[in-house]
Amino acid sequence: MTTAPAIDLRIFTALAPVRGDLLDVYADVRAPLLHLPNYAVTAFGERLDRHATEPGFTAVLAYAGGHPVGYAYGNTIEHGDRYWQRTSPAPARKYTERPAVALKEIGVRPAWRKTGTARRIHDALLAARDEPFVTLMVNPAAGDGKVRALYESWGYEDIGQSQPSPASPVLTVMIRAIR
């Protein structure tokens, strides 16, 4: 990992001020996959709009020189949430009995990868959360398994699988304590 140049981390609880920046960074982050229906910018925009209406929505964007270079966003999920219902096998009750944070997306522009920027964004998103756990879904094939391994190095562990939509690949569901 190289040292990250100076970035400005900004936290948002409303989507409108940053929707364009999120779509812009997403398109760069997922450029090789945009031809696939689940990864198309329009599909991401629809998911983003839905997620922004859910309880506890928070987004963190990293800016360098006034330009967005990375993001993460998530929201609160409760026992019985469709997130947990789609996870197989059913997660242990200790994870679902209290609200948790679902990290829905995290991405950093290619030029900013391996600089620590993703971890700084991730940690800023979780810093003010009261939930005991954070969960995410990752495509096990992403980066030939390197993305999943990165999350493991951040303390996440596998708890199951999920396929959020018919167009989505089968994803690995991971979780870790926030503190």
Side-chain angles (χ1 to χ4, degrees), residues 89-168:
R93 184 154 174 77
K94 72 178 184 175
Y95 299 132
T96 64
E97 66 188 354
R98 295 186 303 183
V101 176
L103 176 60
K104 298 290 178 79
E105 280 276 344
I106 185 168
V108 175
R109 290 185 192 269
W112 288 81
R113 293 179 185 154
K114 297 184 181 181
T115 65
T117 300
R119 183 64 189 258
R120 290 181 61 198
I121 294 167
H122 171 273
D123 292 353
L125 180 70
L126 300 179
R129 300 304 295 222
D130 293 327
E131 299 90 347
F133 294 101
V134 56
T135 181
L136 58 79
M137 295 181 192
V138 62
N139 183 338
D144 294 322
K146 292 177 188 172
V147 176
R148 184 177 163 278
L150 176 67
Y151 293 144
E152 285 178 340
S153 77
W154 292 358
Y156 285 88
E157 61 183 59
D158 296 0
I159 60 166
Q161 294 183 325
S162 181
Q163 187 173 16
S165 74
S168 169

